[in-house]
Amino acid sequence: MFETLILMLDATMRVSTPLIFAALAGLYSERAGIVDIGLEGKILGSAFAAAAAASVFDSAWIGLCFGITASVALAMIHGFACITHRGDHIVSGVAINTIVAGLTVTLSMYWFGMGGQTPTLSGDARFLSITLPFADALADVPVLGLIYSELLSGHNILVYLAFAMVPMTYWVIYKTRFGLRLRAVGENPHAVDTAGISVAFIRYRALIICGILCGIAGAYLSTAHNAGFLKDMSAGKGYMALAALIFGKWRPVPVLLACLLFGFLDAVAVRMQGVVIPGIGEVPVQAIEVLPYVLTVLLLAGFIGKAIGPKAVGRPYVKERA
Amino acid sequence: MSQAKVPAWVNIALIPFLNIMLAFLVSGLVILAIGENPIEAASYLIYGAFGYDEGVGYTLYYATNLIFTGLAVSVAFKGGLFNIGGEGQAYIGGLGVGLVCLALDKTMPFYVIAPLAIIGAGVFGAAWAYVPAYLQARRGSHIVITTIMFNFIASSLMVYLIVNWLKEDGRMAPNSRTFEENAWLPYLHEFLSPLGIDIGDSPLNFAFVIALICCVLVWALLWHTRWGYQLRTLGTNPTAAKYAGIDTSKVTIWAMLISGGLAGFVGLNEIMGVNHSLLLNFTAGYGFAGIAVSLMGRNHPVGIIMAAILFGALYQGGAELAFEIPTITPEIVVVIQGLVILFSGALEHMFKDRIEGFFIRRSVA
Amino acid sequence: ADPAVVYDQAGKFDKSFNEGVYNGVKKYTTDSGVQVREFEPKNEAQVEQGLRRLAKRGYSPIVTVGFNMTSAVEKVAKDFPKINFTLIDGVIDLPNVQSVVFKEHEGSFLVGALAAMASKTDTVGFIGGMDIPLIRKFGCGYEQGVKYASSSATVLQNMTGSTGAAFNDPTKGSELAKSQFSKGADVVFAAAGGTGMGVYQAAKDEGKLAIGVDSNQNHIQPGTMLTSMVKRVDQAAYNTYKDAAAGTWKSGLVVLGLAQGGVDWALDDNNAGLITADMKAKIKDIRAKIISGDIKVHDYMSDNTCNY
Amino acid sequence: MTNKTTPYAIELRDISKRFGAVQANKDICLQVPAGTIHGIIGENGAGKSTLMSIIYGFYEADTGFIEVDGKRVDIRSSQDAINAGIGMVHQHFMLVENFTVLENVILGAEGGAILKGGIDTARVELQRLAQEYSLDIDVDAIVEELPVGLQQRVEILKALYRGARILILDEPTGVLTPQEADHLFRILKALKEQGVTVLLITHKLREIMASTDNISVMRQGQMVAHRETAHTDKEELAELMVGKKVRLTVDKDDAKPSGTFLSARNLSQFDSQGVKRLKNVSLELRAGEILGIAGVSGNGQSELLNVLAGIEPMSEGEIHIAGQVITAKAPKDAAEMRELKMAHVPEDRHKMGLVTGFEAYEAAVLGYHNSPVYNGKILMHRKVMIDECNERMAAWDVRPPNPHLKTANFSGGNQQKIVIAREVEQNPDILLIGQPTRGVDIGAIENIHEQIVKLRDSGKAILLVSVELDEIMALSDRILVMFDGAVVGELDAKDADERTLGLMMANAYNDEEVSA
Ligand SMILES: Nc1ncnc2c1ncn2[C@@H]1O[C@H](COP(=O)(O)OP(=O)(O)OP(=O)(O)O)[C@@H](O)[C@H]1O
Ligand SMILES: Nc1ncnc2c1ncn2[C@@H]1O[C@H](COP(=O)(O)OP(=O)(O)OP(=O)(O)O)[C@@H](O)[C@H]1O
Ligand SMILES: [Mg+2]
Ligand SMILES: [Mg+2]
């Protein structure tokens, strides 16, 4: 039982990783006042770019760079529309998601001719798991050994990075000058402007960070968790991250917990296909899959607390009425 | 200083035209980038969409779905609501159609089934829009997020229902049984060929007529009824709506119900018109494409019909294109769609401000 | 008339089922110099549309891949009685359709026996794609093979999902494989299309063994692919074209089992090191017994149960 | 300026600024000696805030330049202004409400990439400032939990923390209680003693007289007068502010009020932040009488109109109308109020009275769209609406008389005519009318005024809210003056003159009487 739980949590860590990156990406963006339903598109775009580059250069790191570049470029399109041209954040996000869904398939078809996939990656083209020191030696120590060797050890570097990003984000958001301005610009851009700070510049920087994090999320999908790009491989993770962001009320640590919860549900659902639980019968996997979305709706409706986002989120900043 | 001097055609024709041209231009660059000739691609595309009878039929068949979802987006939009849930509402609308057909096809004649199926599509689609609408109107939950969530919920629900309850025994694919023919919407080629009009053996069916009727009804509803008046007031100026004593939450809820119902009609075309059985994923992104259609059609039924036919042509022509040039996937159409949303939605001010500025300067000078 | 092929929506590079057909097509083109018109539909509507378009232009025979196409092929074949169709994995009773089905249970039995022999933990796994009778047929044959080789063995079974997406979800595949490995399995057979890629990857990452399906997939992760249960769809396609060219193509039902070479296990350089001479001998024996009928492999689809 | 002895702390030269068609500032010149408190007064929309925003770099002037301490400075952003030692307390606070005081103060002046150091320095510095100017505040409090007076203190601290030597305050007392305002002026005095130059905008003459050294008056975007406080008085300032506008004489007979159509008792209303915007207002609207509400804008007039019209529910009190009683528990919405024969011309025609995207004939039925006149069983009678619109456009001389023109494309005056015609032609018993001539040219004003009087003479009850004193005096039969959400005085129109009203509006009348 305990072992099953550990293994389930182990899977949770792997599955949650892209959610954590993406949700933190959303956190930077929305804390700065930019709604980003384009997380999905950025993840997908990066997954493709990373896998393509990794397979061409046979290096996961180069893949990661390309993934991040693609994702940041998409974020800049979003910024160009929403910050520079005061466009609707949601329309822009939908546009980006749509473009990427089509473009990744088109380009991969052209480059690799494999029906919208990239070649299978192996060796250096992938992020492989890291065994923490003494993991094997300690594996037999009861309880702690298992936790250390199974749960904590044996993930790839991006998984550890995701978890490290949470305290990092907390620190950036709450303890640095940039974070202070970022939060301020999402609450009251006028206050930031009159304090002599450029609203647009801060928002662009927030979007760059958002792009970088989504880029890592995408690269993780195609070069770490999987071994190549597949059409639509983001499979709603961007929206799920958005849900986690709302669920975590735009704060790093609760967002992490929301991602872990969603990841855990996913890990459970993977193993529930066709499983008959004595006394209950077969629990439909769909019921578990759908929980994050249902929970988010309930939260938004105020049934389980109130989700109040940054005040100025989604509103273009216009200085002059003219 | 004002829009006063900007001629009307600039806003309803020139700017949308420029937006779509830019979208095409960028798509052309993509095609160029993948080493194909955009002109050649365009000619396949146009030939595929309009060049032969069956192609036209297919174009209109795709357009049917897009008219429904485009209308759905625009009705909500007129009330200031952004309904991203067309996909889920269409899916559930299809469930409504499917259930009616499965329940009645063995016992009832077509003329009983058809109206009930239409009601089923509308009611189920509307019901799926109701919860987000209610939450928006009474609890202030952001409708964009809730409708996105409801898309996912709809898709899980449908998998569950079809796989566990509706799937035909012994069948591999998760489909319901095929309906009896008296629960099929008639194909239009059956009507048109006696009249000497040939649309080949295309899946274009009676749902297209329903879509056109919906356009007229929506047009009348929005611009010729009291309710439409209230909706448009709410959508353009919520403060004025309060001033006028309009019950804004009631209007909001009804707007979403109608929007959801319209999206649900996609089920008529797909389930009752073409597939004749309830199956998974028949919505295939039409709900999202409806956003592009409605943006391009300027939220007006006439514009929506034109935009839907344009996109229908892209779908059909895109399939032809992919058939002829396998390196170009039909997904290129999705790219074009996205670019249209980008340029005519998110970047609308980029052109609009400049062009209006140009006309204002000209008229001032 | 020119030959054609319509793949299913997974596309011809799914590394598995469709790719098998593609290999047959390629071979035929190389051998005969005749180009085969290929079409990869992207949605439900395009399947029928593509078939019609091909039929209208006179392509024949048209090979169609997968049970998903059954209803579309049926409609179009009715409308174009002069065009010949070969449907792989589905059955249609029309004078211009040849239906090719396989005895997947026999091939699965073989790889099941191999899995049991290769397993050190006496625990093996099966990961199916979409939960449909056809995939259960794989699982059931596999289980029988395992039990035949080692009556004490445990067979862990998981299905990936209940929709078509289950054939294309490597992430889930790898998660399921990892969960089976952690429960002690050390050989896993994936009958799951593209999902299998995740399974093989997981086996590679954890140093366990995996068994491929449909095409010979041994090359995907050399060294950790124990074998593949090949289903000679390539041959089915190839034969269709060849027969048609020779004028010997016939409609009706074609059932391909071990005896006909329609299913088999794969041995090549990539897995030679994993198969001992002893295993080879035993499998040879089992194979002969199945063909001769001494071993009766229960077909799940005959009664929708796995009682053997 | 060849022989100036000490340079001015700040000097403006020919500043102009235009927003689209609005010339908000025109050729403004201003000189403020260092270490003085300089008052700037002017009517609503005179361009005061715009001018200050230009000094603060929030807007860029179209022409003109600014000198600080005798040196020309190029102010293109707030950062430039801050660097030049200018600080501003805006009319609408520029605070991040869910931040602490400390965070708000250091925003933009964090003193390093990591907050810790800056926060610690700021804590010490704020303590010093607090002591020096008696600006006590809990620096760790969340701003939105502080009362408005303290929020303003945060704004002042923000400016001082950045080392501002010139402090601009835009209507700082508009939101303050008298006690808070007194405290503020003591602080300003202390600042002045430290050599800080203060630019103070206010509508309240009492405050201006009590606290400034010099005063400048703005009218319609221009600087019209400069005075030394010691050598002027409230009367002169009031006149300068209001200007020598064309006196509008409206021909009207004495009112012959008869029955009461509406009586409101103790109406109060709280806004969403829980601030009481309307305080125990009671009034009666009588047939054949125009009741004018005078007051500086933002003193509860809008809330009063909204509550009476049913747009916002009241929090306390009751309204008696047409034999019905409306209370907080039994509210009526705007549509229901219209059924009780009440019409409403809102203060802001763009935000409320019109849907600018609608064609004129559609906008001409807003609020009455449910009337059976315009509705068939299912469809609306477009033709009826258009015909009626045509008639009204002719009757009210709306130009161009085109029912299909988008409302946005009519000029302000013509838009207003469309709104007034719509409300008046419904033949209501009661007409609520807010700022009827705001932004309307003289010809149209006359026309509108005539119509209002005609309506009164036909036995209607009219409530007129206007910030234009001329208008109030020309039209009203009875005048209520509002200040800070409450009615602070009632006058018969015959007893009203500019001076008295001006003083009452600034809530300085009673002081005057007491001192007189
Ligand atoms: N950003 C803007 N865009 C367009 N017009 C503006 C803008 N800001 C101010 N105006 C216009 O400029 C004019 C002057 O406005 P301003 O706010 O400076 O007046 P004010 O004297 O401060 O008035 P108040 O006493 O009401 O604060 C007004 O007509 C106003 O409508
Ligand atoms: N909100 C608006 N949107 C678009 N155009 C407007 C708007 N307000 C006014 N206009 C246009 O700007 C022009 C000038 O408007 P303004 O209100 O200054 O007119 P005006 O000359 O003062 O007219 P009037 O004498 O009727 O007051 C009008 O002719 C009108 O077409
Ligand atoms: Mg002002
Ligand atoms: Mg005017």
Side-chain angles (χ1 to χ4, degrees):
Chain A
M1 192 57 222
F2 173 68
E3 195 179 341
T4 318
L5 183 70
I6 290 296
L7 294 169
M8 207 85 115
L9 291 177
D10 186 43
T12 302
M13 279 181 71
R14 288 191 297 268
V15 178
S16 309
T17 295
L19 290 183
I20 296 171
F21 279 121
L24 292 179
L27 189 144
Y28 281 99
S29 162
E30 301 220 340
R31 272 297 178 109
I34 308 278
V35 177
D36 198 355
I37 65 170
L39 294 176
E40 179 79 7
K42 288 199 270 281
I43 297 174
L44 187 63
S46 154
F48 170 68
S55 89
V56 171
F57 298 103
D58 196 32
S59 157
W61 290 102
I62 295 182
L64 180 66
C65 292
F66 273 78
I68 289 176
T69 309
S71 171
V72 170
L74 292 169
M76 290 302 96
I77 294 179
H78 194 50
F80 182 68
C82 301
I83 303 171
T84 306
H85 286 289
R86 310 189 311 279
D88 189 296
H89 298 190
I90 291 178
V91 175
S92 168
V94 171
I96 286 171
N97 289 346
T98 314
I99 292 172
V100 174
L103 203 57
T104 47
V105 178
T106 308
L107 291 180
S108 69
M109 186 68 202
Y110 164 61
W111 277 327
F112 303 105
M114 296 174 50
Q117 304 178 10
T118 60
T120 306
L121 305 173
S122 57
D124 287 344
R126 276 186 78 220
F127 288 99
L128 297 173
S129 32
I130 301 167
T131 308
L132 296 183
F134 314 117
D136 292 329
L138 292 174
D140 294 328
V141 178
V143 183
L144 286 181
L146 194 63
I147 291 181
Y148 184 72
S149 66
E150 277 293 339
L151 185 58
L152 298 182
S153 172
H155 294 283
N156 64 67
I157 184 146
L158 297 183
V159 175
Y160 299 113
L161 181 62
F163 283 84
M165 274 321 290
V166 176
M168 177 79 186
T169 299
Y170 180 88
W171 182 76
V172 168
I173 294 279
Y174 292 109
K175 303 288 176 194
T176 68
R177 172 173 65 193
F178 174 67
L180 182 79
R181 294 177 174 190
L182 182 93
R183 282 182 289 138
V185 92
E187 288 291 330
N188 186 354
H190 293 273
V192 174
D193 200 353
T194 52
I197 309 163
S198 161
V199 172
F201 186 44
I202 293 194
R203 289 190 163 172
Y204 266 111
R205 279 188 290 171
L207 280 184
I208 290 175
I209 298 178
C210 169
I212 293 174
L213 291 174
C214 278
I216 305 178
Y220 174 82
L221 280 187
S222 65
T223 64
H225 202 187
N226 293 299
F229 173 81
L230 271 181
K231 173 181 178 201
D232 291 332
M233 85 180 304
S234 52
K237 293 216 166 42
Y239 296 112
M240 183 93 102
L242 207 58
L245 180 62
I246 296 167
F247 213 74
K249 301 187 180 175
W250 294 268
R251 294 191 309 242
V253 175
V255 164
L256 169 71
L257 296 178
C259 290
L260 289 175
L261 170 68
F262 292 179
F264 182 71
L265 290 174
D266 212 17
V268 173
V270 167
R271 288 160 178 77
M272 287 300 277
Q273 182 73 35
V275 173
V276 178
I277 295 178
I280 305 175
E282 192 174 324
V283 178
V285 242
Q286 292 81 24
I288 303 168
E289 279 169 3
V290 96
L291 264 180
Y293 306 115
V294 173
L295 286 175
T296 305
V297 171
L298 290 178
L299 180 79
L300 280 172
F303 290 118
I304 43 176
K306 248 196 139 45
I308 301 169
K311 228 180 256 152
V313 82
R315 282 195 237 127
Y317 175 61
V318 190
K319 193 175 200 167
E320 305 196 13
R321 279 186 279 138
Chain B
M1 61 154 268
S2 70
Q3 304 162 345
K5 283 95 182 178
V6 182
W9 60 267
V10 170
N11 261 311
I12 60 172
L14 180 66
I15 293 176
F17 177 77
L18 284 175
N19 289 333
I20 179 98
M21 277 304 130
L22 201 59
F24 281 159
L25 192 76
V26 178
S27 319
L29 291 179
V30 171
I31 292 179
L32 205 61
I34 61 175
E36 299 293 341
N37 180 346
I39 309 283
E40 188 193 340
S43 63
Y44 277 130
L45 214 146
I46 294 167
Y47 172 77
F50 301 110
Y52 59 101
D53 317 326
E54 204 177 291
V56 175
Y58 268 96
T59 294
L60 295 180
Y61 147 72
Y62 286 118
T64 308
N65 288 329
L66 297 170
I67 291 175
F68 286 134
T69 55
L71 286 177
V73 173
S74 72
V75 167
F77 202 80
K78 279 280 169 199
L81 302 160
F82 197 7
N83 178 11
I84 304 207
E87 195 76 7
Q89 290 144 17
Y91 212 175
I92 300 294
L95 175 68
V97 177
L99 292 180
V100 169
C101 293
L102 289 171
L104 303 177
D105 63 342
K106 298 234 158 96
T107 50
M108 293 289 170
F110 175 74
Y111 58 83
V112 174
I113 296 175
L116 288 177
I118 292 175
I119 293 171
V123 168
F124 272 62
W128 205 249
Y130 176 75
V131 184
Y134 176 86
L135 294 177
Q136 161 87 43
R138 312 269 175 192
R139 293 191 156 257
S141 325
H142 203 304
I143 200 151
V144 169
I145 306 286
T146 48
T147 48
I148 290 176
M149 299 297 139
F150 265 68
N151 285 341
F152 286 106
I153 299 174
S155 111
S156 288
L157 178 69
M158 289 296 280
V159 171
Y160 171 72
L161 289 177
I162 294 181
V163 169
N164 292 292
W165 301 99
L166 299 169
K167 186 170 141 180
E168 188 180 17
D169 287 339
R171 205 194 241 271
M172 299 276 189
N175 283 22
S176 75
R177 68 178 169 79
T178 302
F179 313 144
E180 303 295 326
E181 284 206 29
N182 55 326
W184 295 12
L185 282 181
Y187 285 111
L188 286 193
H189 56 76
E190 291 166 11
F191 288 99
L192 295 179
S193 47
L195 302 177
I197 303 171
D198 190 2
I199 51 163
D201 228 352
S202 67
L204 184 65
N205 62 77
F206 192 71
F208 179 64
V209 179
I210 299 177
L212 294 182
I213 294 173
C214 283
C215 286
V216 177
L217 290 181
V218 165
W219 172 77
L221 181 73
L222 288 184
W223 279 278
H224 291 271
T225 68
R226 176 152 43 130
W227 185 83
Y229 183 91
Q230 299 187 341
L231 179 78
R232 287 182 294 127
T233 307
L234 174 64
T236 21
N237 187 343
T239 321
K242 261 185 129 184
Y243 161 80
I246 292 169
D247 184 340
T248 51
S249 50
K250 205 163 121 191
V251 174
T252 298
I253 290 176
W254 273 102
M256 281 301 288
L257 288 179
I258 292 174
S259 175
L262 284 165
F265 286 159
V266 168
L268 290 175
N269 191 32
E270 287 293 325
I271 299 301
M272 213 182 164
V274 180
N275 290 298
H276 308 134
S277 74
L278 195 53
L279 70 174
L280 293 176
N281 298 328
F282 62 86
T283 48
Y286 296 120
F288 290 111
I291 298 169
V293 168
S294 119
L295 279 173
M296 231 179 87
R298 296 267 141 171
N299 292 306
H300 190 285
V302 175
I304 286 172
I305 293 179
M306 297 197 311
I309 290 178
L310 178 73
F311 271 112
L314 287 175
Y315 273 87
Q316 162 58 15
E320 181 90 13
L321 179 61
F323 190 81
E324 302 293 349
I325 311 180
T327 39
I328 301 184
T329 63
E331 269 82 5
I332 192 77
V333 177
V334 178
V335 178
I336 300 178
Q337 244 172 48
L339 289 168
V340 168
I341 299 178
L342 185 69
F343 288 118
S344 51
L347 283 171
E348 63 173 351
H349 295 294
M350 188 169 70
F351 272 152
K352 206 170 159 196
D353 294 353
R354 279 180 207 173
I355 291 174
E356 283 180 352
F358 169 79
F359 278 96
I360 289 162
R361 272 196 304 282
R362 216 176 59 152
S363 67
V364 168
Chain C
D2 288 338
V5 57
V6 179
Y7 299 101
D8 87 356
Q9 288 170 52
K12 65 179 171 185
F13 293 111
D14 67 349
K15 299 212 173 55
S16 162
F17 186 56
N18 285 283
E19 196 156 333
V21 176
Y22 172 63
N23 290 333
V25 168
K26 234 172 29 188
K27 181 157 185 287
Y28 178 70
T29 304
T30 329
D31 289 359
S32 66
V34 176
Q35 278 297 327
V36 177
R37 189 74 168 87
E38 295 176 290
F39 180 59
E40 292 178 88
K42 293 291 159 183
N43 63 42
E44 217 62 51
Q46 286 177 5
V47 174
E48 189 182 328
Q49 188 185 4
L51 280 171
R52 269 183 206 290
R53 200 181 274 148
L54 291 169
K56 210 173 205 174
R57 298 195 191 171
Y59 286 101
S60 181
I62 302 173
V63 173
T64 58
V65 185
F67 60 82
N68 266 326
M69 285 192 197
T70 311
S71 64
V73 174
E74 190 164 7
K75 277 188 224 170
V76 180
K78 254 186 218 159
D79 292 348
F80 293 90
K82 293 220 175 65
I83 305 290
N84 293 332
F85 296 85
T86 293
L87 175 64
I88 297 177
D89 257 11
V91 181
I92 295 171
D93 190 14
L94 281 174
N96 57 333
V97 181
Q98 182 186 83
S99 310
V100 184
V101 294
F102 295 84
K103 292 186 173 173
E104 290 93 350
H105 48 291
E106 295 184 349
S108 301
F109 189 99
L110 280 186
V111 298
L114 263 176
M117 287 184 255
S119 171
K120 296 190 180 68
T121 55
D122 211 20
T123 305
V124 299
F126 172 81
I127 292 171
M130 184 178 174
D131 191 359
I132 47 172
L134 177 66
I135 297 301
R136 294 198 175 201
K137 183 176 173 184
F138 281 85
C140 184
Y142 178 72
E143 190 183 322
Q144 294 172 60
V146 173
K147 293 281 158 96
Y148 179 86
S150 161
S151 55
S152 61
T154 315
V155 182
L156 306 171
Q157 298 210 26
N158 284 99
M159 293 288 175
T160 309
S162 42
T163 69
F167 284 122
N168 211 6
D169 194 345
T171 315
K172 239 178 180 174
S174 101
E175 284 301 327
L176 284 173
K178 283 179 185 166
S179 112
Q180 293 195 346
F181 294 146
S182 65
K183 287 181 191 150
D186 56 356
V187 185
V188 172
F189 175 34
T195 303
M197 303 310 291
V199 177
Y200 313 146
Q201 189 69 55
K204 171 97 182 173
D205 291 351
E206 305 223 342
K208 308 281 158 105
L209 295 175
I211 299 173
V213 79
D214 293 343
S215 323
N216 179 351
Q217 298 186 313
N218 294 354
H219 65 277
I220 292 178
Q221 303 287 359
T224 55
M225 297 293 296
L226 178 62
T227 180
S228 298
M229 197 294 267
V230 290
K231 175 170 164 185
R232 301 298 302 269
V233 285
D234 53 339
Q235 215 167 49
Y238 185 85
N239 288 344
T240 293
Y241 297 132
K242 212 181 74 191
D243 294 351
T248 56
W249 183 90
K250 277 200 293 291
S251 64
L253 184 63
V254 176
V255 183
L256 301 176
L258 264 186
Q260 296 79 12
V263 292
D264 215 331
W265 69 290
L267 178 64
D268 59 16
D269 289 352
N270 292 315
N271 66 338
L274 297 168
I275 309 287
T276 60
D278 178 40
M279 288 159 86
K280 233 187 270 181
K282 280 192 184 145
I283 287 296
K284 199 172 167 206
D285 174 48
I286 296 172
R287 201 167 172 279
K289 281 189 176 147
I290 295 176
I291 293 173
S292 69
D294 287 349
I295 296 177
K296 290 238 173 321
V297 186
H298 174 74
D299 177 1
Y300 177 89
M301 282 167 76
S302 63
D303 60 357
N304 276 343
T305 63
C306 195
N307 299 324
Y308 46 90
Chain D
M1 307 280 147
T2 41
N3 55 346
K4 67 178 163 193
T5 45
T6 47
Y8 293 108
I10 189 159
E11 178 167 5
L12 306 185
R13 306 282 291 274
D14 297 318
I15 297 282
S16 294
K17 174 77 184 170
R18 160 183 283 286
F19 292 113
V22 182
Q23 182 81 53
N25 286 154
K26 188 161 191 291
D27 302 330
I28 305 264
C29 293
L30 181 68
Q31 295 158 339
V32 184
T36 61
I37 299 182
H38 194 106
I40 296 178
I41 55 173
E43 287 181 296
N44 293 121
K48 309 179 293 291
S49 297
T50 305
L51 185 65
M52 296 305 121
S53 295
I54 288 171
I55 299 176
Y56 189 63
F58 195 64
Y59 295 143
E60 243 184 288
D62 300 335
T63 63
F65 62 91
I66 300 171
E67 283 180 10
V68 174
D69 293 331
K71 279 190 292 291
R72 181 166 169 170
V73 286
D74 206 14
I75 298 179
R76 295 174 166 278
S77 71
S78 300
Q79 190 62 55
D80 294 338
I82 293 169
N83 292 343
I86 300 169
M88 178 159 177
V89 176
H90 292 262
Q91 193 170 353
H92 310 284
F93 296 157
M94 297 291 179
L95 295 172
V96 183
E97 297 200 322
N98 61 356
F99 277 18
T100 64
V101 172
L102 213 46
E103 286 175 322
N104 265 293
V105 168
I106 62 167
L107 182 66
E110 297 88 346
I114 313 288
L115 284 184
K116 182 99 177 48
I119 294 241
D120 292 344
T121 324
R123 198 182 288 276
V124 176
E125 173 68 6
L126 283 184
Q127 221 145 40
R128 189 186 66 78
L129 287 172
Q131 261 165 17
E132 201 162 327
Y133 304 107
S134 49
L135 285 162
D136 289 330
I137 198 158
D138 171 8
V139 291
D140 294 311
I142 303 289
V143 163
E144 65 193 342
E145 288 163 6
L146 295 175
V148 228
L150 286 184
Q151 293 191 5
Q152 184 178 62
R153 205 172 279 181
V154 179
E155 285 278 37
I156 296 172
L157 283 169
K158 252 168 81 176
L160 295 181
Y161 182 72
R162 286 163 173 71
R165 303 300 297 160
I166 300 165
L167 184 63
I168 303 168
L169 296 112
D170 192 353
E171 296 193 35
T173 58
V175 290
L176 299 185
T177 64
Q179 291 84 346
E180 285 172 329
D182 284 347
H183 190 113
L184 173 69
F185 289 117
R186 283 201 297 277
I187 293 168
L188 294 185
K189 205 154 265 157
L191 285 170
K192 174 178 150 178
E193 275 152 22
Q194 300 290 320
V196 175
T197 310
V198 178
L199 277 167
L200 173 70
I201 298 179
T202 174
H203 289 286
K204 297 172 190 170
L205 298 179
R206 183 177 64 91
E207 293 171 355
I208 282 282
M209 293 304 296
S211 60
T212 61
D213 300 306
N214 298 294
I215 300 168
S216 296
V217 186
M218 287 187 74
R219 193 164 66 222
Q220 290 176 1
Q222 282 172 292
M223 207 49 103
V224 291
H226 301 284
R227 294 285 183 277
E228 275 176 51
T229 313
H231 300 136
T232 186
D233 55 28
K234 288 176 197 161
E235 288 74 14
E236 189 195 16
L237 290 176
E239 193 182 320
L240 284 169
M241 239 167 93
V242 174
K244 298 182 189 59
K245 264 193 177 171
V246 198
R247 249 207 97 102
L248 287 169
T249 45
V250 180
D251 290 330
K252 66 174 177 110
D253 305 325
D254 287 348
K256 299 172 205 72
S258 49
T260 302
F261 276 138
L262 177 148
S263 82
R265 293 195 199 133
N266 294 318
L267 293 183
S268 293
Q269 200 208 16
F270 295 88
D271 68 10
S272 55
Q273 264 89 54
V275 178
K276 202 168 185 179
R277 294 284 172 196
L278 201 58
K279 298 174 181 163
N280 301 315
V281 173
S282 300
L283 53 80
E284 298 212 323
L285 297 183
R286 293 182 294 205
E289 185 190 55
I290 298 176
L291 175 64
I293 306 271
V296 178
S297 85
N299 279 292
Q301 301 98 312
S302 310
E303 288 78 4
L304 176 64
L305 276 179
N306 284 349
V307 166
L308 289 177
I311 295 167
E312 299 288 346
M314 66 194 89
S315 308
E316 288 159 12
E318 54 188 50
I319 299 172
H320 294 251
I321 177 174
Q324 307 218 17
V325 185
I326 299 164
T327 60
K329 290 217 177 64
K332 286 197 184 304
D333 70 19
E336 291 163 329
M337 291 307 279
R338 284 197 180 85
E339 280 162 23
L340 301 175
K341 303 203 64 118
M342 170 188 281
H344 176 201
V345 176
E347 292 179 297
D348 186 330
R349 54 182 170 265
H350 282 134
K351 275 219 193 88
M352 214 178 238
L354 289 169
V355 180
T356 44
F358 278 11
E359 291 178 18
Y361 78 91
E362 289 184 305
V365 301
L366 185 70
Y368 302 95
H369 52 274
N370 287 323
S371 151
V373 180
Y374 307 124
N375 284 282
K377 269 214 178 60
I378 294 171
L379 301 182
M380 289 187 97
H381 294 313
R382 246 160 68 100
K383 189 154 174 348
V384 173
M385 289 156 65
I386 294 169
D387 289 348
E388 190 189 82
C389 187
N390 264 321
E391 276 166 38
R392 285 189 192 163
M393 285 181 145
W396 289 76
D397 188 28
V398 175
R399 276 178 263 181
N402 176 2
H404 293 290
L405 194 66
K406 282 250 166 64
T407 324
N409 296 339
F410 287 90
S411 72
N414 286 304
Q415 288 173 339
Q416 187 68 335
K417 283 187 207 166
I418 294 174
V419 176
I420 295 181
R422 176 182 75 208
E423 299 302 322
V424 167
E425 298 274 354
Q426 292 297 327
N427 194 26
D429 286 340
I430 304 167
L431 179 67
L432 310 178
I433 180 162
Q435 319 298 353
T437 55
R438 181 181 274 176
V440 170
D441 69 46
I442 293 171
I445 289 176
E446 246 183 289
N447 183 322
I448 290 169
H449 285 176
E450 272 168 25
Q451 294 288 343
I452 293 175
V453 172
K454 219 165 78 190
L455 217 56
R456 177 200 75 166
D457 291 341
S458 65
K460 313 297 182 190
I462 290 165
L463 179 76
L464 168 73
V465 171
S466 175
V467 290
E468 306 274 339
L469 280 185
D470 291 345
E471 184 163 79
I472 290 282
M473 289 191 298
L475 291 176
S476 313
D477 300 310
R478 200 153 52 90
I479 301 172
L480 298 182
V481 183
M482 283 188 79
F483 179 80
D484 194 24
V487 173
V488 292
E490 174 166 358
L491 289 174
D492 197 292
K494 287 193 279 294
D495 307 331
D497 57 51
E498 259 175 30
R499 199 188 70 102
T500 331
L501 277 177
L503 290 173
M504 283 175 112
M505 282 161 62
N507 205 21
Y509 186 68
N510 291 334
D511 315 350
E512 179 98 339
E513 270 189 334
V514 171
S515 60

